[in-house]
Amino acid sequence: HKNSLPRMMVCFTWMAAPPMVAVWTALGTTWAAEVIWFDPGCMPSTLHSIFLVVWQVLSYMWLVINFIVGSTVWTTERRIRQAEEHLRELQDDDTTRRWGNVSETGAYSVSSMPTTMASG
């Protein structure tokens, strides 16, 4: 991202939000366990306890999914940067003249990927 606002939003999304959600979820788990085990009379009904447990499970699932997606994106980005570096090492004047600057992938996205398989 070239603008500072999108860059800040990406940093917040990946660096600040998950740790805050993890701390909040762990704190909520501690509070829920105390209430359910030591003072179950504070819960109006069993349905409230079930809702609380389901919500905690969903929060932990969100954290796991966020970790998986983040590590996949990080790995993909690292591999692309390595490939660009290798291409920069191979690129010379002849390559640039024939095919342009091959060491920059530019804007890579799913839409720029081929949609059909090569036959052969």
Side-chain angles (χ1 to χ4, degrees):
H1 300 285
K2 295 184 182 195
N3 296 336
S4 61
L5 182 61
R7 185 175 297 153
M8 288 182 346
M9 292 301 293
V10 167
C11 285
F12 176 79
T13 300
W14 290 106
M15 300 297 180
M20 289 189 310
V21 171
V23 168
W24 191 250
T25 301
L27 184 62
T29 301
T30 304
W31 288 344
E34 287 179 14
V35 169
I36 290 172
W37 288 331
F38 300 120
D39 200 5
C42 286
M43 296 301 272
S45 69
T46 307
L47 184 61
H48 288 83
S49 298
I50 292 170
F51 176 77
L52 184 64
V53 170
V54 167
W55 195 258
Q56 289 299 113
V57 168
L58 287 175
S59 295
Y60 283 110
M61 286 174 53
W62 181 86
L63 287 168
V64 168
I65 290 170
N66 203 8
F67 176 77
I68 291 169
V69 169
S71 61
T72 302
V73 167
W74 182 79
T75 302
T76 303
E77 182 70 24
R78 185 174 49 86
R79 288 179 181 167
I80 288 172
R81 288 177 190 234
Q82 285 176 347
E84 288 176 344
E85 179 63 31
H86 292 153
L87 284 172
R88 268 193 293 280
E89 291 172 1
L90 294 174
Q91 186 172 333
D92 60 4
D93 292 336
D94 184 44
T95 309
T96 305
R97 185 175 44 80
R98 289 182 187 204
W99 295 294
N101 192 2
V102 295
S103 64
E104 292 183 13
T105 57
Y108 52 89
S109 66
V110 174
S111 62
S112 66
M113 299 175 98
T115 56
T116 57
M117 298 285 293
S119 59

